[in-house]
Amino acid sequence: VVQPVRTVVPVHRHGGFLGVMPAYSAADDALTTKLVTFYEHKKDSSVPSHQATVLLFDPRNGSLKAVLDGSVITAKRTAAVSAIATKLLMPAFAEVLCILGAGVQAYSHYDIFMELFTFKEVKIWNRTKEKAVKFANSVNSPVQVCSSAEEAVTGADVVVTVTMATTPILFGDWVKPGAHVNAVGASRPDWRELDDELMKNSVLFVDSREAALMESGDVILSGAEIFAELGEVVKGTKPALPEKTTVFKSLGMAVEDTVAAKFVYDSWSAGN
């Protein structure tokens, strides 16, 4: 796989960013570039914070084969990777799921986590309570809306942070020993979701060391040591350590979009 760390162009005047994420997978013979915009503060709350498009090219000659909805692909592949991390890293008897945030990624994570795991209780918190209530009312199983992040996190075996926070909203002294945290937001070097205590007192897993050390404020500003990439655990070259308190810092890798886009295109072609 060839995938440079994403290039990010700040849109200073409007408080946004444009990310460019190219990748080539030789094993899949797939070539793509994802273009993704993300905006920290939106006056128009009806517009998603993240919007994306994936361009799929023919690697044999460079011609454009398809333009795909990258927002759907991003939501589903990100949640899928978090689910892999959770399967490997969560405690043996995980019963309580906590989600911090109520945007697109909260829905995609909830859907796959409820499909793959058997949580007895789900709790959610969002900075705007109305969005958390809307989330709870729109999903199929009961979800407890919490009035504070601390209330939501307390007693949780698995925590998912999917926010646009720029300063910590999850603190180590709230987290149950042995719990697993999927940290999905805070994709800039000066943004945080997790405090220093949690970062330094947990076993830290990342999707990409190179990206984490360039893009993740949680990793860079805390000085936390990276124990392993998730791929190393999947391959069996590093242990999972589910008995420990673990953090998976997800930034997203271009190859995930590449493989997903080719899968969608091939499925569509086969049924066309």
Side-chain angles (χ1 to χ4, degrees), residues 239-251:
L241 305 178
E243 70 280 3
K244 305 279 190 180
T245 304
T246 54
V247 168
F248 171 58
K249 177 56 204 170
S250 170
L251 287 163

Side-chain angles (χ1 to χ4, degrees), residues 165-206:
T166 56
T167 57
I169 46 92
L170 177 59
F171 295 85
D173 59 359
W174 301 348
V175 176
K176 179 180 179 180
H180 170 63
V181 177
N182 295 294
V184 180
S187 58
R188 297 290 297 150
D190 56 345
W191 292 3
R192 300 287 299 269
E193 284 188 310
L194 282 50
D195 77 335
D196 284 354
E197 181 181 344
L198 179 56
M199 290 299 297
K200 290 184 177 180
N201 295 327
S202 304
V203 183
L204 176 59
F205 298 82
V206 298

Side-chain angles (χ1 to χ4, degrees), residues 103-206:
V104 171
Q105 287 289 354
Y107 286 90
S108 62
H109 277 74
Y110 174 87
D111 287 345
I112 195 166
F113 276 46
M114 297 307 290
E115 180 180 339
L116 295 180
F117 307 116
T118 55
F119 293 107
K120 295 181 179 179
E121 183 181 356
V122 181
K123 300 192 289 183
I124 190 169
W125 170 83
N126 189 67
R127 183 175 54 187
T128 307
K129 188 173 183 180
E130 291 78 11
K131 287 188 175 181
V133 171
K134 180 182 177 182
F135 179 98
N137 291 336
S138 63
V139 297
N140 295 327
S141 301
V143 174
Q144 177 188 345
V145 176
C146 297
S147 58
S148 69
E150 182 177 4
E151 178 189 350
V153 172
T154 301
D157 301 294
V158 174
V159 179
V160 178
T161 62
V162 281
T163 73
M164 286 295 288
T166 56
T167 57
I169 46 92
L170 177 59
F171 295 85
D173 59 359
W174 301 348
V175 176
K176 179 180 179 180
H180 170 63
V181 177
N182 295 294
V184 180
S187 58
R188 297 290 297 150
D190 56 345
W191 292 3
R192 300 287 299 269
E193 284 188 310
L194 282 50
D195 77 335
D196 284 354
E197 181 181 344
L198 179 56
M199 290 299 297
K200 290 184 177 180
N201 295 327
S202 304
V203 183
L204 176 59
F205 298 82
V206 298

Side-chain angles (χ1 to χ4, degrees), residues 7-260:
T7 299
V8 178
V9 178
V11 188
H12 295 299
R13 182 177 179 182
H14 301 288
F17 301 88
L18 168 66
V20 183
M21 301 174 62
Y24 172 65
S25 169
D28 299 279
D29 199 26
L31 177 66
T32 67
T33 293
K34 182 168 80 174
L35 305 173
V36 55
T37 57
F38 49 105
Y39 279 69
E40 181 184 353
H41 300 293
K42 296 294 292 183
K43 292 180 181 178
D44 181 1
S45 60
S46 66
V47 177
S49 61
H50 289 65
Q51 300 177 77
T53 300
V54 178
L55 307 178
L56 177 68
F57 299 93
D58 187 332
R60 296 171 298 179
N61 55 28
S63 62
L64 180 64
K65 295 174 70 174
V67 179
L68 298 96
D69 185 338
S71 298
V72 173
I73 286 175
T74 300
K76 291 187 177 294
R77 64 82 154 151
T78 304
V81 175
S82 293
I84 293 169
T86 301
K87 181 178 180 180
L88 294 167
L89 303 175
M90 72 178 180
F93 301 101
E95 296 184 339
V96 181
L97 170 65
C98 163
I99 301 174
L100 302 182
V104 171
Q105 287 289 354
Y107 286 90
S108 62
H109 277 74
Y110 174 87
D111 287 345
I112 195 166
F113 276 46
M114 297 307 290
E115 180 180 339
L116 295 180
F117 307 116
T118 55
F119 293 107
K120 295 181 179 179
E121 183 181 356
V122 181
K123 300 192 289 183
I124 190 169
W125 170 83
N126 189 67
R127 183 175 54 187
T128 307
K129 188 173 183 180
E130 291 78 11
K131 287 188 175 181
V133 171
K134 180 182 177 182
F135 179 98
N137 291 336
S138 63
V139 297
N140 295 327
S141 301
V143 174
Q144 177 188 345
V145 176
C146 297
S147 58
S148 69
E150 182 177 4
E151 178 189 350
V153 172
T154 301
D157 301 294
V158 174
V159 179
V160 178
T161 62
V162 281
T163 73
M164 286 295 288
T166 56
T167 57
I169 46 92
L170 177 59
F171 295 85
D173 59 359
W174 301 348
V175 176
K176 179 180 179 180
H180 170 63
V181 177
N182 295 294
V184 180
S187 58
R188 297 290 297 150
D190 56 345
W191 292 3
R192 300 287 299 269
E193 284 188 310
L194 282 50
D195 77 335
D196 284 354
E197 181 181 344
L198 179 56
M199 290 299 297
K200 290 184 177 180
N201 295 327
S202 304
V203 183
L204 176 59
F205 298 82
V206 298
D207 46 14
S208 163
R209 275 190 182 84
E210 184 182 11
L213 294 172
M214 287 182 63
E215 295 185 316
S216 171
D218 284 320
V219 175
I220 297 166
L221 299 177
S222 69
E225 182 180 349
I226 297 170
F227 175 72
E229 290 184 340
L230 184 61
E232 293 177 302
V233 181
V234 172
K235 291 173 66 177
T237 58
K238 285 286 185 74
L241 305 178
E243 70 280 3
K244 305 279 190 180
T245 304
T246 54
V247 168
F248 171 58
K249 177 56 204 170
S250 170
L251 287 163
M253 297 191 295
V255 69
E256 296 161 3
D257 304 304
T258 300
V259 172

